[in-house]
DNA sequence: TGATAAGCGAGACGGTACGTCCGGTCTTGGG
DNA sequence: CCCAAGACCGGACGTACCGTCTCGCTTATCA
């Protein structure tokens, strides 16, 4: 009696082919990793996947949305949470994040986000799943530690979170300094100084 | 030994036209502010400026470089330094920076940077002049204050600088939170906690 | 031996809808007269008629056949036979024919015929009903007059008929001279000179 | 002082490539003879000729114009004028004409003409060069014979010409009777009856 | 009277071709 | 020797239709 009102649209007509969708995402992902964002054209994806261009355009409005879908499709969003206390957990997460973004893929994610229509629903989903999921995981770690009384959070946690995760994208996009493990460690060290309770 | 390093090649033929260069930059700037980065094509700039495409390609390798040149051309890189002590100076600078980037122009700068070849000399100049100049100004403020004994800097100042300036680009690119004056103030407040000397 | 050849298959299942057929032909006819042959696509007919594409393809193999069916559906093939003697009857028929073809519809008939598969059974029916019916009516008039002894027919009447009716399509297709009533009269005059008996 | 006003445009910029033009026409001609008018697409011509689509569209507005250009390019418009007197000359011309059109090419010419925009300048040139040149040659033959006093022309020679040349296109397009040499002979025979002077 | 079979609309599918935009290059005549 | 103009070839765009194929629904005949 609970989920009877769930979406049972029973739409007429031939349903969209899940196989076509999967082949498109696979092809887009391959092109992205092999040739880069600049080569991810709808034409190339259609040719590589064997799916017609109109079929692609039926689901995605342009190459940017397709790129976001491909980047999301093979992404769990999970991070190694490496320990019980805040410092080790946050450090593990930051190292994992930086390792994930310090590759070609990281730059492609940045380019994709920069090129995307910021108001599209697709873009919002991409932001939440790919960009902000780490930020939310970090927020959870901080809130738990604060609940345990280990730390004192500032009134505006969002700013602190941006100061932790923003620098990763800053270096990724600007490239003035390397993205490496010691960068992760240093950010965590400074952040923990801020929330040191005493 | 004085003017040997001067550039007096006395090359034969007609010299490059400074007027053509200026018209191209003007047209590129106008297109950028009116239509956005996506419409800044060499074709459109040539048509609007009345300059031939080859003339454009002689100076800039592609539309990205042209966009960077246009964005640099009308940019002094100067910031209002609003006071004598660190907090007011840093706050004034951050507010000024955020005000400058919290517009369409800011997003175009991010898109341009994301699309540019990261190894190009042009891109490096753009980074230094448009992106990193604020960061270097901030570094100067911090170093001066440390020299006065007002603050204690961490061993790696670069990380602290990235935690101050990275969040601006993070919000600019990701758009999850607004870029406003209170954001500037909050960042400065947290940063100053880190460097509090006692 | 009487109704064995009748089509009484009494097939099971839902019979084809005569209403769908009528709506398709109506829509095709409307598109043809409003937008021309180039706009007569199966897609457009389906959309305008509210009939599904597969239903259309069940009866007609392509847009050409559909166009021919639409052009045949509103066409009686009857001509005003305006008099008792050969000259007036032939003149009346030619004037009527030219009036019928000297419109947009005439050109569409020519385009349809040119685009159709010449070996299709559909095309043959279209030719006989729309193109050649006038020629056969003319043949009947000539044979009757010859039977009355008014004229002398050449050994190959087909060539004479082609010389009477061919020029109409010639001008229709090539457009070098107008299709008007005096053209009808002049053709009849020359044709009658040929068969003048004495 | 005479041809100074001739077209010496001295246009700036790179001139259109005659080689590209020739390759396009060659490819179009080959496709026309090998696959037929229905397969003559701009896409296919571009692929076969190695010329870019925009280059093709710069010269021809659509596939029909391209087909007409290809059909004109390999066409001298000359007919064997087989003799000194009217009957043999006209017979030779008609046989030659029918032989030229009683092939696949003939049907393609008809289809091309039917599909073409009747008001385009291109179409007019095609009509004059490919369709009506034979008619004008026939007019010349008749006028010469009339000048010699051999025949009596009707007041409207155009109608007579249409009755001679129209039947060829009639049979070509409608296909109800074969296009052969005896058809040519019969048409000439009947036409000469009309102009018999006595 | 109820099963079952065929036709129905809707609509996605893989495709082909369209006509256009822009990229980056090349070739002119003119300054 | 550079400039403007402008055509070149090529790659990709996003759209229109093609003709085919599932769908779930409707309508008829036959068991």
């Amino acid at each position: 009696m609970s989920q009877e009102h769930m979406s049972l649209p029973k739409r007429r007509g031939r349903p969209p082919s899940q196989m076509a969708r999967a082949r498109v995402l696979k092809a887009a992902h391959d092109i992205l990793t092999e040739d880069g964002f600049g080569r991810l054209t709808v034409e190339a994806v259609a040719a590589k996947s064997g799916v017609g261009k109109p079929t692609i355009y039926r689901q995605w409005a342009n190459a940017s949305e397709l790129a976001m879908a491909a980047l999301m499709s093979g992404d769990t969003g999970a991070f190694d949470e490496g320990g019980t206390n805040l410092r080790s957990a946050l450090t593990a997460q930051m190292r994992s994040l930086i390792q994930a973004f310090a590759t070609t893929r990281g730059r492609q994610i940045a380019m994709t986000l920069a090129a995307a229509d910021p108001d599209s629903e697709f873009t919002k989903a991409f932001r939440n799943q790919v960009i902000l999921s780490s930020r939310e995981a970090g927020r959870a770690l901080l809130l738990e530690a604060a609940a345990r009384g280990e730390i004192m959070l500032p009134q505006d946690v969002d700013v602190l979170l941006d100061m932790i995760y923003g620098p990763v994208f800053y270096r990724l996009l600007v490239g003035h300094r390397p993205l490496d493990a010691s960068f992760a460690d240093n950010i965590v060290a400074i952040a923990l100084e801020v929330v040191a309770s005493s």
Side-chain angles (χ1 to χ4, degrees), chain A:
Chain A
M1 79 198 278
S2 51
Q3 61 265 67
E4 286 170 5
H5 65 288
M6 288 277 295
S7 59
L8 294 171
K10 288 282 189 186
R11 291 190 305 157
R12 306 272 294 264
R14 180 174 175 170
S17 158
Q18 289 307 313
M19 195 183 87
R21 181 187 168 85
R23 282 200 288 166
V24 166
L25 289 176
K26 173 73 164 59
H29 190 88
D30 290 355
I31 290 174
L32 219 39
T33 55
E34 288 163 18
D35 307 318
F37 179 75
R39 296 288 180 183
L40 185 75
T41 65
V42 174
E43 195 98 22
V45 171
K48 183 157 194 162
S49 66
V51 167
K53 277 204 293 174
T55 299
I56 297 176
Y57 279 109
R58 247 170 243 129
Q59 298 212 37
W60 299 280
N62 47 53
S64 281
E65 290 199 356
L66 184 47
M68 292 191 289
L71 288 169
M72 282 192 285
S73 71
D75 186 67
T76 64
F79 291 99
D80 314 335
E81 308 271 331
T84 54
N85 74 332
L86 178 60
R87 175 179 298 268
S88 63
L90 205 52
T91 302
Q93 193 225 22
M94 285 297 284
R95 286 191 177 197
S96 166
L97 177 68
I98 282 178
Q99 193 177 12
F101 279 88
T103 58
T104 312
R105 194 180 120 94
R107 190 163 175 83
Q108 280 157 12
I109 287 175
M111 290 175 65
T112 304
L113 189 65
D117 171 11
D119 300 326
S120 144
E121 288 302 318
F122 237 107
T123 307
K124 290 175 186 166
F126 180 70
R127 281 200 299 231
N128 291 334
Q129 184 172 338
V130 176
I131 310 292
L132 296 178
S133 64
S134 55
R135 190 172 173 275
E136 292 312 307
R139 183 200 299 273
L141 289 179
L142 289 178
L143 290 180
E144 288 164 16
R148 290 195 302 267
E150 294 176 15
I151 58 172
M152 272 274 287
L153 287 178
Q155 71 281 25
D156 192 342
V157 189
D158 281 319
V159 174
L160 178 59
L161 288 169
D162 289 346
M163 291 179 75
I164 296 173
Y165 297 95
V168 177
F169 285 83
Y170 191 50
R171 290 206 174 179
L172 176 63
L173 193 63
V174 181
H176 55 295
R177 293 270 143 174
L179 270 175
D180 54 24
S182 79
F183 182 51
D185 299 348
N186 284 337
I187 289 176
V188 171
I190 294 181
L192 290 187
E193 257 181 70
V194 173
V195 295
S197 60
S198 78

